[in-house]
Amino acid sequence: MIINPQIKVQFLAKKAILKPNFSRIFIAFLFLATVFITPKSLFAQTTYLPHYNSKNGLASNNCYYILQDKKGFIWIATDNGLSRFDGTNFQNFTIEDGLPDTQILQMKEDKEGRLWFFALNGQLSYLKEGKFYNQDNDELLKKLNFNTVIVSFLVDKSGRIWLGTNANLIVCWDGKTIKKYISPNQNDKFINAFIHEDEQGNIIAYSDLSVQQFNGKTFSMIKSKVQPLSYMTATNSPHRSLFYLDSGGLKQYRHGTINNLIPIPQNLIKNMSGYFYYDVTAKEVWLSNANGAFALDKNGKTVQYLQDIAVNQVIKDNNQNIWFATNQGIYMLPNANNRLSIIDAESGLSSNVIKSITKDGKNRLWLGTDDAVIDVLSINNYQVNEIGLDDFKKYKTIKQITFDPKDQSIYFASDYGMGVFKNIYQGNDEVSYLKESNNSMFVIKHFSIGENNNHLALALSSGVVFLSDRTNKFEFNAAKYREKEDFFKDRSYHVFYDREGSLWFSNVSGLSQFSKGKLIKHYENHPLLTKRINDIQQLADGTLILATDGYGLIFYKNNQITRQITQKDGLTNNICTKIFVKNSEIWVLTNKGVNKIANYPNQPSVANFDYGKDLLSDDINSLFIDDSTAYFATNKGLILFKYNNKNIIKNLPKVYVTSIIKDNERLPVDQGNFTFETGNNTILFTFSAVDFTTSDITYRYRLNENSPWIETRTRRLDFSSLQSGDYVFEVSAKSQNGNWGEPAKISFTIKKHFWQSLWFLSILILLVAYIFYKVAVYITRKQKDKEQEQLLLKNKVLMLEQQALQAMMNPHFVFNVMNSIQHYINTQNTASANKVLTGFARLIRKNLEICTKSYISLEEELEYLNLYLKLEKNRFGDKLEYVFNIDEDIDKEETFIPSMLLQPYVENAIWHGIMPKETGGEIQINIKLQDEFYLNIEIIDDGIGIDNSLKDKKETHISKGMQLTKERLHLLGQIGAKPIHLNVKQNATNGTTVSISIPLK
């Protein structure tokens, strides 16, 4: 199908455009350019300017003055204090930091590195070695307080400081004395005096009403043709010449001669409301007024920046960046090597939205838009040809466009169609559209053309198809395609012909290859290759680069994944959308910005374009890279910049220590060596590296030359509770993946405590040794005393055991047993006599067996007690009953208790509890485990009760056996690790309970 499209030819117009964009967190950018040139000159690029305001950290949007100090920091004077800018962060200073007023109008730096600040209230202050000085902490500044605004500042060759004011006053300070000069005449007052020193050392004051020269004692009127418009339109050069503006333009006064440098139109002269800046190197003057800033050269070319924005001052920094102080913050015009430009609809394109881009062999850019138009931009003269496509709905968005050098053709595609411009250099611009033979609808995701053949591959929503002869037969028949031969089903995303003619494609399954009639499913061998692939490109060595959707870049060669580069390696994001390979460098588009990878595969380094982050962010649609310029198709237009400029000098970032605070006291940062007394020793270091091209700054630090470096992103380090010793604080910086710069060093020593001195340590060692000796002697003596006490206790226990033995065999008991035996013999009851005699003999024998043991088994104790109770039962008959209740969980043979422990209490229960009752009574012996550590024994009788028994007795009677047993239990408890608990108490009305808790052995 051949169609003659409508072609519109136009040249990009001259204009002045302001395009603010405040999407970036830290920096908002402004796009703007205005050209006043001859009709033959054409200008199409809109240069963009980074814009910084209070939202980015600036002290105030109303900025009066900008100064770059010797270290490279940018200082901004505002109506809300000072700001210092390092390219990434603003540090603000107010009255609390030492400024005399919040409104700072002007700043100057002298030869000693002091920064002088001139406030609206007339008070002077200066910053030296990180500390602010004002009239409250500096005697000189107290004397220099004149309650008038200082408008000019000069340090002459003798070191004297001259101050011009807005009143009839000029001040000179020679380092010792302060002299004031006041003009007595009404018509020649020093109003808004600008002080200048010429080559001969003459001091001249240019004021609104007069020109006067200092004769060594006073000022006197002189005739001079030098008539600056105001103190804002005059500046002293380092060589002591004077640059100034008058009604005729920019002039230089040198060696007594006035040189005309640049003529300036009267309308700009009359509207001057701010300071001017003369760029000696570029021979260019910058003017500031309420309508913007104007740059003029000697040839009459005038460029306006910041239209309709009140500009107070313009300066150029050491890196050739231009800075603007305005009532809306500050702006920066990057140096010519780092500038980004934009071409959009207001520049002459058909649309701001550029979806695709390519470049033909005649230095023309082909731009696919969202208006069914393809713009052809000639880079040589910025002429634009607009090629309109007839089917607006079908070809509204041209999302891909590719140049075919083999046939000198341009292929393009939208979602629903594809076309080709053939013979583009012949000027007919005929277009052919891809046709499906059955007029079936198809959705194109991507296409690829073979470099060495006529093949064309299409990634469709239904699968991958390819045409074998794109030149002669630009159509296909979906019904005749054969699966796995010239059609591969499943939704596809991308197709790519490598240099060998193999077709690579990605679909919902992953990456596959069709080569020489064979389908190879690479995704089956590598899980990463199953992920969605958005773009494929090839390096010179045959390596495929795969842009994935969330997994960064994958490098694939010889059926192996050789490398993966992700966000951890420096990519702005792992979602990669486009790849472009140029001169062995890999350009990558992510959904967060642009990256360039160099030195692959040896030592890949990933760089990002931080200074264009607001433009080159998430709405970049495509890119094209030529030998020196990078082009980006975005929703804001065509963005371009020079990336391969050999004039760009990449200096290593130099870091400076900006403040040192020790225990809330600010210390001089340039001293370099400190000695601190012992104490809390909390030291705060703040530091910064100056770089106006990137905010991607990494720092590293250490406190000792032998310590490893520690990397950080912070610019503030707080060291607390440092030990005494010598320290060297070192900090260095690097930009992106560059090399580390020279470190800044601060040495300091923390003195030792008195107790860390050698004499104190010697005394301490002797004292400790003496104390150790005394303690050892004390412990040894104590141990011996304890051992002796133990022996005494054991001896006493033995003695008590012997006494208990004698006491336990009660003589009355023996006498009664003998009487019983005699009674049975007399009554000739031989069997009963023998029975009692045998029981008694066994009791005596058992008594002799256990009397020599401190502890016996519970089995033996119960056997002994049973023998005793049987004899007592034999005597008292039915009047005495007894019961043993023993816990079945108790191992009687392995449970040990003190020997002959229970018999005295049982005997006492019989004689003093039960016998006094006429009806007799019962004794219960209950033995159970109290817990895993104690055995509990209870002897319970239902006699008259111990309390009642004691009341009935006339004399206090204490059982000797019970008393000895009680004392014995007490001593055994002292010797053992755990005590023995004994409790004897009467029950409610009668009866007695004896409870004994014995530690288990």
Side-chain angles (χ1 to χ4, degrees), residues 159-177:
R160 296 177 296 182
I161 293 178
W162 294 86
L163 303 175
T165 71
N166 66 344
N168 185 23
L169 176 67
I170 293 176
V171 179
C172 176
W173 179 61
D174 60 6
K176 296 181 180 179
T177 58

Side-chain angles (χ1 to χ4, degrees), residues 368-404:
T369 71
D370 67 343
D371 276 339
V373 171
I374 296 177
D375 287 337
V376 184
L377 173 63
S378 176
I379 298 176
N380 297 330
N381 57 11
Y382 292 103
Q383 176 180 332
V384 177
N385 292 345
E386 292 183 4
I387 304 176
L389 304 175
D390 291 339
D391 195 334
F392 181 86
K393 185 176 181 180
K394 189 174 184 179
Y395 293 99
K396 180 180 186 299
T397 301
I398 308 301
K399 66 179 185 180
Q400 184 182 354
I401 190 166
T402 301
F403 173 57
D404 180 9

Side-chain angles (χ1 to χ4, degrees), residues 57 77 247 349 411 445 449 471 492 527 541 561 572 780 893 957:
S247 58
L349 296 182
Y411 288 82
K445 296 296 182 181
I449 58 176
T471 304
S492 56
D541 64 355
I561 295 176
T572 51
T780 303
E893 293 182 355
H957 173 78

Side-chain angles (χ1 to χ4, degrees), residues 274-315:
Y275 295 91
F276 85 102
Y277 174 79
Y278 179 57
D279 187 348
V280 178
T281 304
K283 306 297 182 184
E284 199 172 47
V285 64
W286 294 76
L287 307 179
S288 306
N289 67 29
N291 295 320
F294 298 83
L296 299 86
D297 64 14
K298 61 181 180 180
N299 297 321
K301 179 182 176 181
T302 302
V303 180
Q304 181 182 3
Y305 294 85
L306 306 178
Q307 185 178 7
D308 297 328
I309 295 178
V311 179
N312 296 316
Q313 187 206 14
V314 182
I315 69 162

Side-chain angles (χ1 to χ4, degrees), residues 543-772:
T543 301
L544 289 183
I545 313 172
L546 312 176
T548 69
D549 202 64
Y551 297 88
L553 293 181
I554 297 173
F555 294 79
Y556 192 64
K557 183 180 181 182
N558 298 330
N559 299 327
Q560 295 293 327
I561 295 176
T562 58
R563 196 179 194 97
Q564 183 181 10
I565 295 179
T566 64
Q567 198 167 354
K568 293 180 180 179
D569 303 302
L571 289 181
T572 51
N573 198 270
N574 286 330
I575 300 177
C576 302
T577 57
K578 297 286 183 182
I579 306 171
F580 199 99
V581 179
K582 184 68 176 180
N583 299 330
S584 299
E585 294 181 327
I586 305 164
W587 294 72
V588 187
L589 294 186
T590 75
N591 68 339
K592 293 294 184 181
V594 180
N595 296 110
K596 184 177 71 173
I597 302 172
N599 300 322
Y600 182 87
N602 298 325
Q603 292 181 338
S605 61
V606 181
N608 62 65
F609 297 90
D610 191 66
Y611 61 91
K613 187 178 292 184
D614 186 63
L615 288 176
L616 305 177
S617 57
D618 57 351
D619 57 356
I620 306 177
N621 302 312
S622 188
L623 76 164
F624 186 90
I625 313 297
D626 65 15
D627 292 331
S628 62
T629 306
Y631 301 92
F632 299 93
T634 77
N635 293 337
K636 301 171 185 175
L638 177 66
I639 297 171
L640 61 150
F641 65 89
K642 301 289 183 181
Y643 73 91
N644 199 21
N645 196 318
K646 296 181 180 180
N647 295 324
I648 297 177
I649 300 175
K650 295 184 178 180
N651 296 321
L652 296 178
K654 184 171 178 57
V655 66
Y656 296 95
V657 176
T658 54
S659 69
I660 306 171
I661 300 176
K662 166 72 165 63
D663 299 334
N664 298 321
E665 179 185 357
R666 189 177 292 271
L667 304 177
V669 296
D670 297 330
Q671 182 170 321
N673 197 355
F674 300 91
T675 300
F676 302 133
E677 297 293 335
T678 56
N680 185 31
N681 292 323
T682 298
I683 305 175
L684 171 66
F685 293 97
T686 61
F687 46 86
S688 183
V690 181
D691 194 328
F692 300 115
T693 63
T694 180
S695 61
D696 187 8
I697 303 291
T698 303
Y699 298 93
R700 63 177 184 176
Y701 70 93
R702 60 184 181 183
L703 278 176
N704 192 296
E705 293 180 350
N706 298 323
S707 301
W709 290 97
I710 302 174
E711 293 191 15
T712 182
R713 289 277 184 172
T714 184
R715 300 179 304 112
R716 175 190 178 103
L717 291 173
D718 196 344
F719 300 98
S720 60
S721 302
L722 289 176
Q723 301 297 318
S724 58
D726 298 325
Y727 297 90
V728 179
F729 173 70
E730 295 181 83
V731 58
S732 63
K734 70 174 181 179
S735 301
Q736 296 189 12
N737 294 304
N739 296 322
W740 291 102
E742 186 72 19
K745 296 183 180 181
I746 300 292
S747 300
F748 60 95
T749 299
I750 298 177
K751 291 182 178 180
K752 293 181 179 180
H753 291 275
F754 74 92
W755 41 263
Q756 292 176 310
S757 60
L758 182 61
W759 65 267
F760 183 85
L761 291 176
S762 300
I763 295 175
L764 184 62
I765 291 172
L766 293 175
L767 181 61
V768 169
Y770 176 75
I771 294 174
F772 179 79

